[in-house]
Amino acid sequence: MEREAAALPDRVPARDMEGRLDYRDKPVFTIDPDDAKDFDDALSYEALDHGAVRVGIHIADVSTYVRPGTALDREAQRRGNSTYLVGVVVPMLPEKLSNGLCSLVEAQARLCKAVFLTFDRKGRLTETTYANTVIRSRKRLTYKQAHALLFENDLQRIRELPLPPKHQTGSTRRALRELSETELRDLQGWVRALWTIAKRLREDRMAHGSLDLDMPETKIFVDERGYADRLEKIEHDESHQLIEEFMLAANEAVARLTRERKLPSLYRVHDEPDPGKLAELRDLLATFRIKAGDLTQRDELVRILAVLHAHPQGYTLRTQLLRSLKKAAYRHTPDGHFGLAKRDYTHFTSPIRRYSDLVVHRVLGSWLA
């Protein structure tokens, strides 16, 4: 495996870009946590005629470098996933791939598989297409920077946002203060336009019964020596939701394609909950003077989640609600996702750190070929 990794190039050679949609000069960027070590996904934004827009969800094309039957593939399959510990990652792939050729770092050409979603001027999805692409990210944004671009109008305050410490992340690249005013305004325009679409997608998803199980998390950050440095509460704000909605949309689009074309593939499935477990949850909620109806009815489950959002013990009770549901699993049959209220769902967007996603990339790659 180490020999195979060492033989890989440091940069994407021109021959590997041939036959791909070239998005190196299009508006493409990434949004990730402060401490992200690798960058699986990037978004592109294009304004079309008559008010339509095309959003590209570009995912690192790991399948180009990790071929079935190779030592790299066998080791990735054995590991199954990257393992994330406090301040350190045990990667599924060698660093030359996970932090190098397959990480969508700023200002470097990278190979991707992409889902393109076209929306009309009213925000309705009108077309879904798929392609092999080559991109060059304009900017590696953190969630904090993206949030500022969404809601802060003072460019100078945005420029003052610091970069993550180098020891915490796989790449920092340019600080926002190094961007010209035109670059920064363009970036802000793209982020805000994407949020307008993502917000509508989220509202539509919730209206169709998707369960809002997002909860704040506490993250431990470490110093340069690897010792715990600080605790930080991470809220699932609009910058997170922007990325989430497009990742969900890409996962759904690929799952729908493989189901409709009857392609053998993997799906991320979430079965309906056990009524007995929900009855136990109903009894627990009653001890907190929360009256629940028939929790086997999705509308009632959605209502209770809304109640728990404002309850003093809401975090604990929502955790108990989550434990009352079945665990999501991988399966070769497209059995739907209860929590997301989606018929079609898979994992496609993180092939650097999940072997399942790499398998789905190979399925899509065969279909594209």
Side-chain angles (χ1 to χ4, degrees):
M1 181 198 73
E2 291 178 354
R3 285 196 300 271
E4 289 181 359
L8 293 169
D10 294 321
R11 294 176 178 269
V12 178
R15 65 178 181 276
D16 290 348
M17 304 181 199
E18 294 175 2
R20 291 176 174 265
L21 278 181
D22 193 341
Y23 266 66
R24 285 175 292 176
D25 293 326
K26 302 280 188 182
V28 181
F29 53 90
T30 63
I31 304 176
D32 290 279
D34 276 14
D35 60 345
K37 299 293 192 296
D38 52 60
F39 309 100
D40 289 293
D41 54 87
L43 297 177
S44 65
Y45 177 82
E46 296 171 271
L48 307 177
D49 293 335
H50 310 297
V53 298
R54 182 187 294 123
V55 180
I57 301 100
H58 303 260
I59 309 300
D61 193 355
V62 176
S63 61
T64 291
Y65 304 105
V66 183
R67 303 284 187 173
T70 61
L72 279 170
D73 180 54
R74 289 192 297 271
E75 181 63 18
Q77 188 178 95
R78 188 181 71 83
R79 296 188 179 206
N81 301 274
S82 294
T83 303
Y84 292 81
L85 306 172
V86 176
V88 69
V89 178
V90 181
M92 183 181 79
L93 300 172
E95 186 175 357
K96 190 166 185 179
L97 286 172
S98 61
N99 284 35
L101 271 174
C102 293
S103 188
L104 309 183
V105 297
E106 186 179 327
Q108 294 291 327
R110 290 291 184 261
L111 307 183
C112 296
K113 281 185 164 47
V115 177
F116 289 99
L117 307 174
T118 301
F119 300 89
D120 65 17
R121 63 187 307 166
K122 294 184 178 180
R124 295 172 298 197
L125 180 64
T126 59
E127 185 181 32
T128 303
T129 57
Y130 311 82
N132 291 310
T133 62
V134 53
I135 68 164
R136 184 185 291 114
S137 174
R138 298 276 186 96
K139 191 75 197 77
R140 178 279 207 251
L141 290 173
T142 66
Y143 284 124
K144 293 174 185 175
Q145 291 171 337
H147 191 270
L149 288 167
L150 282 172
F151 300 108
E152 177 60 66
N153 292 319
D154 187 339
L155 290 187
Q156 185 55 40
R157 294 185 66 177
I158 294 173
R159 289 181 186 282
E160 292 169 359
L161 290 171
L163 287 172
K166 287 185 178 181
H167 71 272
Q168 281 185 0
T169 182
S171 176
T172 55
R173 298 298 298 179
R174 293 181 299 167
L176 293 180
R177 64 177 175 272
E178 297 176 31
L179 273 63
S180 68
E181 182 169 335
T182 299
E183 286 179 302
L184 198 55
R185 288 201 180 280
D186 283 346
L187 193 58
Q188 185 173 57
W190 301 328
V191 171
R192 289 183 174 185
L194 286 170
W195 171 239
T196 299
I197 298 169
K199 183 181 179 182
R200 193 177 292 116
L201 290 174
R202 183 176 178 83
E203 290 170 350
D204 184 64
R205 180 164 65 86
M206 295 303 172
H208 283 83
S210 184
L211 303 183
D212 184 4
L213 295 169
D214 295 331
M215 292 186 283
E217 62 173 305
T218 300
K219 180 171 282 190
I220 303 172
F221 289 88
V222 299
D223 60 21
E224 293 183 15
R225 298 178 298 163
Y227 289 100
D229 181 44
R230 71 184 193 279
L231 298 176
E232 188 172 316
K233 186 178 181 181
I234 308 296
E235 296 283 356
H236 195 81
D237 62 26
E238 291 87 348
S239 62
H240 294 73
Q241 293 167 14
L242 186 160
I243 291 298
E244 179 184 45
E245 292 307 319
F246 287 119
M247 296 306 113
L248 291 176
N251 285 334
E252 182 180 19
V254 173
R256 184 170 57 248
L257 173 75
T258 56
R259 176 182 59 81
E260 291 179 347
R261 300 301 175 114
K262 295 182 171 57
L263 305 174
S265 190
L266 287 177
Y267 297 88
R268 184 66 169 173
V269 300
H270 188 217
D271 295 328
E272 292 194 2
D274 178 76
K277 289 279 189 181
L278 294 179
E280 292 175 9
L281 174 65
R282 187 173 181 272
D283 293 340
L284 173 66
L285 294 174
T287 66
F288 289 85
R289 299 183 181 180
I290 299 173
K291 187 175 181 180
D294 183 1
L295 293 178
T296 62
Q297 300 299 308
R298 182 178 290 274
D299 288 348
E300 181 63 6
L301 205 53
V302 170
R303 186 188 74 81
I304 288 297
L305 275 169
V307 170
L308 295 182
H309 266 288
H311 194 277
Q313 299 298 321
Y315 186 93
T316 301
L317 293 175
R318 286 164 73 199
T319 301
Q320 289 301 120
L321 188 153
L322 185 60
R323 290 174 177 171
S324 300
L325 304 178
K326 292 188 177 179
K327 291 183 178 180
Y330 292 104
R331 202 174 291 157
H332 70 283
T333 49
D335 299 329
H337 198 290
F338 173 81
L340 294 172
K342 290 185 181 294
R343 177 182 181 181
D344 299 304
Y345 199 66
T346 188
H347 272 175
F348 164 74
T349 53
S350 293
I352 290 177
R353 59 187 178 91
R354 290 194 297 236
Y355 193 82
S356 57
D357 300 48
L358 173 55
V359 171
V360 175
H361 270 238
R362 288 169 176 166
V363 174
L364 179 62
S366 295
W367 180 79
L368 287 171

